[in-house]
Amino acid sequence: MTTPVAISLTVNGERVDAHVLPRLNLADFLREQLNLTGTHVGCEHGVCGACTIRVNGDIIRSCLLLAVQAENATVETIEGLSDSGEIADLQAAFRERNALQCGYCTPGMLMAAQDILVQDLDADREQIREHLSGNYCRCTGYHAIIDAVEATAKARKALRR
């Protein structure tokens, strides 16, 4: 099919109407048509996690979802989480713990890390490691990333008291 299809979705709080080719994946739509380049495309097989975003509250691999499948969905990218301040503390912890490395994996790591922090602030290092196991860091910054997520969990728990 080479005929563009009309889609409507909400991206980072803003309604988006567009025409896309049926074979266009959501990652490429976000990057190329909406200029949201924080979502990276690594393996294009859903293995590396660089394209992790939230769709209707769940993290997904945007390289595995067609843009047309996001019809009427609520999509949140790293730009949305960053601009809203939702992950400001997590981003600071990544900087402080040298978890940024080259930065290619960082948006996907932050999306996955925020997901476990929302689900379970009591997660231990092994649970954090397991939750992030679908995201690859080419610089092998795993320990620093786990340290940053663990530190953020502890800080958020302390704020709840």
Side-chain angles (χ1 to χ4, degrees):
M1 292 182 66
T2 57
T3 304
V5 175
I7 62 170
S8 294
L9 61 157
T10 301
V11 179
N12 298 331
E14 294 186 23
R15 190 78 187 161
V16 173
D17 297 306
H19 286 82
V20 298
L21 292 176
R23 66 176 182 268
L24 181 67
N25 71 45
L26 187 55
D28 287 339
F29 172 70
L30 294 168
R31 290 183 58 82
E32 296 168 8
Q33 292 195 23
L34 302 184
N35 202 29
L36 295 170
T37 56
T39 301
H40 292 162
V41 178
C43 67
E44 296 188 73
H45 293 91
V47 176
C48 74
C51 66
T52 304
I53 63 170
R54 279 198 301 217
V55 175
N56 296 331
D58 296 322
I59 59 170
I60 61 119
R61 304 291 196 248
S62 60
C63 73
L64 297 180
L65 189 70
L66 296 172
V68 295
Q69 293 175 294
E71 173 72 14
N72 293 321
T74 298
V75 174
E76 297 169 280
T77 68
I78 191 64
E79 289 91 348
L81 270 61
S82 182
D83 291 350
S84 71
E86 179 181 334
I87 59 169
D89 57 345
L90 182 59
Q91 290 172 307
F94 266 61
R95 279 191 306 273
E96 292 163 6
R97 307 267 178 185
N98 197 27
L100 297 168
Q101 303 283 321
C102 81
Y104 194 86
C105 73
T106 302
M109 286 285 188
L110 288 167
M111 297 295 293
Q114 177 63 3
D115 188 60
I116 192 170
L117 291 169
V118 168
Q119 292 179 31
D120 184 8
L121 288 180
D122 292 319
D124 62 23
R125 290 182 67 82
E126 191 56 37
Q127 291 168 314
I128 294 168
R129 189 178 313 279
E130 175 65 25
H131 196 81
L132 299 180
S133 66
N135 293 69
Y136 294 157
C137 173
R138 297 172 183 176
C139 305
T140 68
Y142 296 110
H143 293 298
I145 293 167
I146 303 301
D147 290 346
V149 176
E150 182 180 45
T152 303
K154 287 180 181 175
R156 287 184 184 180
K157 276 180 63 172
L159 287 175
R160 285 186 174 177
R161 294 182 190 157

